[in-house]
Amino acid sequence: MKAQRANSRGERLMDAAAALFAERGYSATSMRDIASAVEMLPGSIYYHFASKDDLLLAIYEAGVTDITEALEGALMGLHDPWARLEAGMAALVEAVTQPQARTRVIFAVTPDQVPRHREALIAARDAFEVRFSTLIDDLPLAPWVDRQLLKLMLLGAGNHAQLWYSESGSYRAEEIGKAFARFVRAPVEH
Amino acid sequence: MKAQRANSRGERLMDAAAALFAERGYSATSMRDIASAVEMLPGSIYYHFASKDDLLLAIYEAGVTDITEALEGALMGLHDPWARLEAGMAALVEAVTQPQARTRVIFAVTPDQVPRHREALIAARDAFEVRFSTLIDDLPLAPWVDRQLLKLMLLGAGNHAQLWYSESGSYRAEEIGKAFARFVRAPVEH
DNA sequence: AAAGATTAACCAAACATTAGTTTGGCTAAT
DNA sequence: ATTAGCCAAACTAATGTTTGGTTAATCTTT
């Protein structure tokens, strides 16, 4: 009873494509690159996905689902707003740095690079960002603080970790996320 | 005596290519796209640059020169370390958001996307980052603060502004940069 | 200063390769 | 007997690049 074989191939395809999209970029990755990564012929991909655009869209939406669930999971049981921000940032950095990740594609591929699905990608991405925004909304902040800018700063910093993070490096994803949250909370100055 | 015509065309080529590289990405931009942006034929580009790779490299290195000079200019006359950080962040955000920019290419194109010049691009980018690091090194910080992580956070946040900044938006580049610097300095909490 | 030679900057046209995609058929499992 | 899943092979368009020629400006020579 090893069903799911069909689904399993489709998923493997998405994972392999996601890894290539995240590393080399969307348009720098060819269908032949993807095909040879899963050991099948280029044309065979079209049994699973109607086009390269659609493949990317499927990965992107799956990635948004993944990262949203990861975020919810990390927040579970936490009530203190700053603890929630730390956990959320940790989840974000983990999502953009994990090697097997479809989640990396969300921040590596910008909607403008896939004109045909531009709106759909923006909509999917916004769904996550709105969810992330509530973390900042709940913070007790000084009145001079622009929450919108603070959100964009934290999102940008977390996203950017994708570019310099290394598994062999001295930081783990979780510490990075938490550190970013603490930098804006506590008086860093001395 | 309107000399410089030669040089002027080459510069216009770099600017047009830079704009396209920054918006659509390196490999999503074709030589024909670039050529038609400056109203000449694809093959004519090869009189000025030996290859697409070399064109990108020239733009990238010119961009690093630009942003480095912009940074130095912004810091001139400032001695207080926090004032210098604010000015530096403002210069960074301005560099990644200005429309006529070769500087945007630095943060829009990652070295891995141009394998042939990977090391050269990394070296150029590092030259700027090292310069930027001194801003953080000079800050009087609490002992628990990891300066390396703080640097990466600020760089990431500034770089990321490129993705959401809009000229018609409610923020100007300078305020964004300064706001980011203030978020980590002052106790945001209330 | 005029004629000739040279060069910078580009065009016109093509080349080989790679891109995304399509089609028809094969094979193993249902 | 049917169908899900893939192969084999091709097709068209787009890609980076090359080549030889053309034009207008600059420089040299007389």
Side-chain angles (χ1 to χ4, degrees), chain A residues 79-98:
Chain A
H79 295 288
D80 175 67
W82 284 102
R84 287 170 63 85
L85 180 68
E86 282 189 19
M89 285 297 295
L92 170 62
V93 175
E94 273 169 0
V96 302
T97 56
Q98 66 184 358

Side-chain angles (χ1 to χ4, degrees), chain A:
Chain A
M1 187 186 290
K2 62 161 85 167
Q4 288 295 86
R5 168 122 189 259
N7 205 327
S8 154
R9 281 296 272 176
E11 296 268 324
R12 273 199 52 194
L13 230 174
M14 286 178 60
D15 286 341
L20 291 171
F21 287 159
E23 276 148 37
R24 308 182 197 174
Y26 172 70
S27 69
T29 301
S30 73
M31 295 298 266
R32 285 168 178 82
D33 291 337
I34 300 169
S36 75
V38 295
E39 285 171 343
M40 65 188 202
L41 295 185
S44 305
I45 300 179
Y46 290 81
Y47 173 78
H48 300 275
F49 300 94
S51 70
K52 193 187 177 187
D53 291 342
D54 289 352
L55 171 57
L56 186 275
L57 178 60
I59 293 171
Y60 200 98
E61 290 180 334
V64 170
T65 301
D66 287 353
I67 197 176
T68 302
E69 286 176 359
L71 183 62
E72 302 292 348
L75 296 180
M76 214 163 47
L78 297 179
H79 295 288
D80 175 67
W82 284 102
R84 287 170 63 85
L85 180 68
E86 282 189 19
M89 285 297 295
L92 170 62
V93 175
E94 273 169 0
V96 302
T97 56
Q98 66 184 358
Q100 71 279 25
R102 318 188 273 208
T103 52
R104 282 189 298 159
V105 175
I106 308 171
F107 304 95
V109 176
T110 78
D112 299 280
Q113 291 169 6
V114 193
R116 189 161 163 262
H117 293 317
R118 187 172 171 274
E119 287 80 10
L121 298 181
I122 292 179
R125 188 201 55 186
D126 282 355
F128 168 76
E129 286 199 19
V130 164
R131 189 68 198 78
F132 186 85
S133 293
T134 65
L135 292 180
I136 280 87
D137 293 338
D138 294 342
L139 293 175
L141 296 180
W144 61 269
V145 175
D146 186 317
R147 295 179 126 89
Q148 175 73 1
L149 278 183
L150 183 60
K151 179 193 94 176
L152 289 167
M153 180 184 191
L154 290 168
L155 263 178
N159 177 13
H160 190 70
Q162 183 170 16
L163 292 181
W164 53 265
Y165 179 84
S166 143
E167 284 192 68
S168 56
S170 29
Y171 305 106
R172 256 170 296 143
E174 190 190 2
E175 337 174 18
I176 297 171
K178 292 195 175 181
F180 286 175
R182 285 194 204 109
F183 286 159
V184 300
R185 175 184 193 180
V188 154
E189 193 174 4
H190 189 65

Side-chain angles (χ1 to χ4, degrees), chain B residues 31-101:
Chain B
M31 295 298 267
R32 284 167 178 82
D33 292 336
I34 300 169
S36 75
V38 295
E39 285 170 342
M40 63 187 206
L41 295 185
S44 305
I45 300 179
Y46 290 81
Y47 173 78
H48 301 275
F49 300 94
S51 70
K52 191 186 179 188
D53 292 341
D54 289 351
L55 171 56
L56 185 275
L57 178 60
I59 293 171
Y60 200 100
E61 288 179 336
V64 170
T65 300
D66 288 353
I67 197 175
T68 302
E69 286 175 1
L71 182 62
E72 302 291 349
L75 297 180
M76 213 163 48
L78 297 178
H79 294 288
D80 175 67
W82 284 103
R84 287 171 64 84
L85 180 68
E86 282 189 20
M89 284 298 294
L92 171 61
V93 176
E94 272 169 0
V96 303
T97 57
Q98 66 183 356
Q100 71 278 28

